[in-house]
Amino acid sequence: MSPTLVLSLIAGYFVILIIIAFLTSRKATSASFFVANRNAPWYMVAFAMIGTSLSGVSFISVPGMVYAQAWSYMAVVMGYLVGYLVIGTVLLPLYYKLNLVSIYTYLEKRFGFWSYKTGAALFLISRAVGAALRLYVVAGVLQFAVFDQLGVPFAVTVAVSILLIYLYTFRGGLSTILWTDTFQTLAMLTCVAVSVYLISDELNLGFGQVISTIKNSEMSRIFFWEWTDSRKFWTQFISGMFITIVMTGLDQDLMQKNLSCRSLKDAQKNMFWFALILVPVNMLFLSLGVLLYQYAAAKGIQLPVGPNGKVIGDDVFPMLATGHFTLFAGIIFILGIIAVTYSSADSALTALTTSFCVDFLSIGKYSEERQTTLRHRTHLMFTVVLVAIILVFRALNNQSLITAVFKAAGYTYGPMLGLFAFGIFTKRQLIDKYVPWMCAWPPVFCYILNANSKAWLGGYEFGFEILLVNGLLTYCSLLAISRPAEVAAAVNPAAPELVS
């Protein structure tokens, strides 16, 4: 694949995004940047959220995982549905009742200053590291496929890529993101569907044969029940439910889009339809995975393996697309990975800016002119932060360490789960100054537990359910520093009012 051709595709793609940004960011204000003036159509938000909820890692990893994990990931997706139901019926009514811009403001109203700052800080750490790692993985693919051939340093690739995101998001924020993510979600889904069609055509399979091939493959198995199997259905299902609650319902990135809807009723319609759409989307990704391995077997292509002799699922799609598919199929892959990566990254950058401006700069107390200046500076700051994190990971050049950091960043959602659950389901008040400490130790303990679970728990390996342990430990820690609301009010009449 010609590097010049790929560069032309990338340039053309970003020209479209910048044109969209220009048309949607005129007369932008803080209200349009943060919540799109709370006037976004729910169906547009639902569609745009698909691209945001996925990433370049999902584009590569979900198809790649079917070799080792089969379709066990569908158990997680089924759990998502229950999680979205909880978000729509419990969290969204709370957020709309309080008219929030940053969802972490709830913690201040419920518990106080330190709880609020702890929740917001956990989000900033989680989202910054997570977004940077997702961009790192995809930048590595593009560097290998294109930019190494041109002699472009990795640092330049990363800096230019993120700068382009900054250019089309810094003015309009969410009012622009909703339009660009709608375009990018459409581009991503089209690329996946076209990839499925092209591989099927190479294998001489009609539509009915594609369905039967996937259905009859052992790689399409969903249900696993063995206790020591990390793919077991119930833990995957329950984990999917709580992952959705914390990584969507307690995450400023995705909730920011929901808060842009015109009313609670519209936000709930958006959430429920988004949940239903996400099921066939993930089935499409998993179907693509089965076909990728069928293609490799039919063509006698050796799969990439690691030092342990196991297939590296994340390398399968990129390897086939850039080295074995037709030129057109390779172009589709590049466009698809760009679309899904940047629809996730641009949303993350806007959410980071929103949270820092609202939660730490208290931007609402300034004039509109001053708010604009602070927004632009904060947006640029997080652009630099993402570049720096990616370059640190590149310097480490240790995939196992990077994977460990990625998982550790995910653990920070456990304390969020504990904090919000304690606020919503109890009437007790916390000793606010101790909250940061009570939220700091559970992720560290869970990290150690996860690393040693096979030895300590008779061969049991934690999957996503480590999040539940994390949240439960946080909840119990908070219980230890809590008092009944009446006692708290008697000791400190100025304590935050109860919000539930």
Side-chain angles (χ1 to χ4, degrees), residues 196-197 200 204-214:
V196 168
Y197 170 78
S200 303
N204 297 313
L205 298 175
F207 180 76
Q209 292 172 308
V210 169
I211 300 298
S212 61
T213 297
I214 295 170

Side-chain angles (χ1 to χ4, degrees), residues 264-496:
L264 171 60
K265 184 177 180 181
D266 275 2
Q268 289 173 321
K269 284 193 290 186
N270 151 61
M271 182 56 62
F272 298 146
W273 277 103
F274 164 69
L276 294 176
I277 294 170
L278 207 58
V279 173
V281 167
N282 279 284
M283 291 181 69
L284 184 63
F285 272 104
L286 292 167
S287 298
L288 173 61
V290 174
L291 291 174
L292 286 172
Y293 287 106
Q294 294 282 358
Y295 177 88
K299 302 294 182 181
I301 299 170
Q302 184 175 357
L303 297 173
V305 296
N308 58 4
K310 294 183 179 181
V311 171
I312 306 174
D314 287 358
D315 290 351
V316 172
F317 196 7
M319 180 198 73
L320 294 176
T322 59
H324 298 275
F325 287 175
T326 64
L327 176 61
F328 179 66
I331 290 171
I332 291 298
F333 168 78
I334 294 295
L335 288 176
I337 200 171
I338 291 170
V340 73
T341 298
Y342 289 108
S343 64
S344 174
D346 58 19
S347 182
L349 184 57
T350 301
L352 288 167
T353 299
T354 299
S355 178
F356 192 82
C357 285
V358 174
D359 299 326
F360 291 94
L361 300 182
S362 302
I363 196 171
K365 66 184 180 182
Y366 298 108
S367 67
E368 183 60 42
E369 182 179 357
R370 178 61 175 163
Q371 288 185 39
T372 300
T373 301
L374 289 173
R375 284 202 328 268
H376 290 175
R377 289 177 179 176
T378 302
H379 211 60
L380 182 59
M381 177 188 73
F382 278 110
T383 300
V384 174
V385 166
L386 292 180
V387 172
I389 294 174
I390 292 173
L391 294 182
V392 167
F393 289 134
R394 181 73 167 186
L396 293 173
N397 197 28
N398 183 332
Q399 190 60 43
S400 61
L401 179 59
I402 290 168
T403 301
V405 172
F406 198 8
K407 290 181 178 178
Y411 292 157
T412 56
Y413 285 100
M416 283 193 212
L417 177 62
L419 266 172
F420 275 83
F422 197 89
I424 293 170
F425 297 113
T426 77
K427 293 184 179 295
R428 299 179 68 87
Q429 188 57 259
L430 297 175
I431 303 175
D432 185 53
K433 63 182 179 180
Y434 296 135
V435 169
W437 302 104
M438 296 300 102
C439 291
W441 75 268
V444 177
F445 176 83
C446 287
Y447 182 78
I448 297 171
L449 176 64
N450 192 43
N452 296 279
S453 63
K454 289 184 71 173
W456 294 352
L457 302 175
Y460 184 87
E461 288 187 81
F462 282 100
F464 297 127
E465 67 271 18
I466 193 70
L467 173 69
L468 306 184
V469 179
N470 197 346
L472 181 61
L473 290 174
T474 303
Y475 187 97
C476 292
S477 298
L478 296 175
L479 188 62
I481 60 166
S482 68
R483 297 173 291 189
E486 313 81 59
V487 174
V491 173
N492 180 17

Side-chain angles (χ1 to χ4, degrees), residues 84-93 268 272:
Y84 290 128
L85 180 64
V86 172
I87 293 170
T89 56
V90 177
L91 293 176
L92 281 178
Q268 289 173 321
F272 298 146

Side-chain angles (χ1 to χ4, degrees), residues 109-121:
K109 295 177 182 292
R110 179 63 174 87
F111 297 126
F113 176 85
W114 289 108
S115 300
Y116 172 36
K117 300 304 179 184
T118 299

